[in-house]
């Protein structure tokens, strides 16, 4: 299981890893371009943004886990725990999606975007991980940096009263073992901590592949 970041550790949550070379810069620019689309399409509709983006975020861990599994079989070596860790990451992101579906109730258009986004992203990420796993992990790490920013903004909207602090869905209470009276704010805090943990671990994985 990935290491979860302390939920309210502001310094750790705000961390950014500067790119080290042209491959890292490519990964960062790719993610920033994706952020522009998300900002224009969703604006401050953070719950709906979470629904669409989390279905994409759940792809990398599954793709990476599958390819690491096949590589371990092919090379007859120990995977050093990467397969389980990446699959745990995918499952965690899936639970984010299941939670925000209960919060935002996506429209039919957003459901079509989920289908399209997942189909396109799965194939592109599969090829990227197959030929450039270091860049693939760096892309995920930078995506998670943006996710931390988005959830921080979402939290600010809740705290300002611009977004109603509705009761937490039961699925979130059960998964994160939240109090029975937990609210949306509590969910955002733990999801943001998850994303920070994924961010740091994927940066570490990218660094380990740099040598």
């Amino acid at each position: 299981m990935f290491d979860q970041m302390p939920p309210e550790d502001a310094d750790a949550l705000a961390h950014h890893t500067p790119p080290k070379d042209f491959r890292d810069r490519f990964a960062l620019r790719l993610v920033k371009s994706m952020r522009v689309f998300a900002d224009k399409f969703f604006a401050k509709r953070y719950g709906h943004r979470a629904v669409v983006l989390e279905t994409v975020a759940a792809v990398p861990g599954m793709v990476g886990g599958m390819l690491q599994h096949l590589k371990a079989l092919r090379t007859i070596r120990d995977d050093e725990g990467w397969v389980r860790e990446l699959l745990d990451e995918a499952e965690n992101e899936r639970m984010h999606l299941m939670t925000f579906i209960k919060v935002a109730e996506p429209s039919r258009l957003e459901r079509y975007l989920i289908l399209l986004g997942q189909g396109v992203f799965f194939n592109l990420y599969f090829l990227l991980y197959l030929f450039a796993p270091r860049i693939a992990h760096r892309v995920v790490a930078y995506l998670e940096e943006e996710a931390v920013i988005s959830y921080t903004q979402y939290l600010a909207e809740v705290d300002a009263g611009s977004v109603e602090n509705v009761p937490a869905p039961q699925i979130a209470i059960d998964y994160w073992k939240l109090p029975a009276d937990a609210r949306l704010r509590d969910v955002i805090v733990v999801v943001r901590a998850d994303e920070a943990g994924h961010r740091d671990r994927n940066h570490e994985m990218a660094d380990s592949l740099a040598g």
Side-chain angles (χ1 to χ4, degrees), residues 67-138:
L67 290 177
Q68 287 291 336
H69 171 72
L70 294 175
K71 182 178 180 181
L73 295 177
R74 189 170 61 251
T75 58
I76 315 176
R77 65 158 178 81
D78 181 61
D79 73 300
E80 299 179 352
W82 279 41
V83 173
R84 174 50 53 195
E85 188 169 2
L86 289 168
L87 294 180
D88 282 347
E89 177 184 310
E91 172 67 5
N92 179 251
E93 297 286 9
R94 188 182 68 84
M95 293 305 298
H96 293 177
L97 174 63
M98 295 298 101
T99 294
F100 284 107
I101 282 177
K102 298 292 186 182
V103 172
E105 298 181 354
S107 66
R108 181 174 295 182
L109 173 59
E110 287 163 340
R111 289 180 183 273
Y112 284 138
L113 282 175
I114 286 171
L115 289 173
L116 178 62
Q118 186 181 89
V120 171
F121 188 73
F122 176 88
N123 287 285
L124 292 178
Y125 191 80
F126 177 87
L127 292 173
L128 179 62
Y129 201 103
L130 190 63
F131 295 107
R134 175 191 166 184
I135 296 177
H137 280 290
R138 198 71 77 190

Side-chain angles (χ1 to χ4, degrees), residues 177-188:
K177 297 180 173 56
L178 298 174
D181 61 349
R183 313 292 291 187
L184 175 59
R185 188 187 194 282
D186 303 305
V187 174
I188 297 171

Side-chain angles (χ1 to χ4, degrees), residues 8 10 13 20 51 72 74 85 159:
E8 298 286 6
L13 289 168
K20 300 179 176 65
V51 167
R74 189 170 61 251
E85 188 169 2
D159 289 342

Side-chain angles (χ1 to χ4, degrees), residues 145-209:
E145 287 188 7
E146 296 298 325
V148 169
I149 293 170
S150 291
Y151 282 117
T152 298
Q153 293 169 342
Y154 194 3
L155 194 62
E157 293 292 314
V158 172
D159 289 342
S162 302
V163 174
E164 184 181 358
N165 191 22
V166 298
Q170 189 62 46
I171 190 173
I173 292 173
D174 293 341
Y175 180 71
W176 283 283
K177 297 180 173 56
L178 298 174
D181 61 349
R183 313 292 291 187
L184 175 59
R185 188 187 194 282
D186 303 305
V187 174
I188 297 171
V189 167
V190 293
V191 169
R192 184 178 62 171
D194 287 349
E195 305 293 22
H198 297 321
R199 173 201 64 198
D200 294 347
R201 188 64 185 114
N202 275 278
H203 275 312
E204 291 171 0
M205 288 177 165
D207 289 342
S208 73
L209 295 170

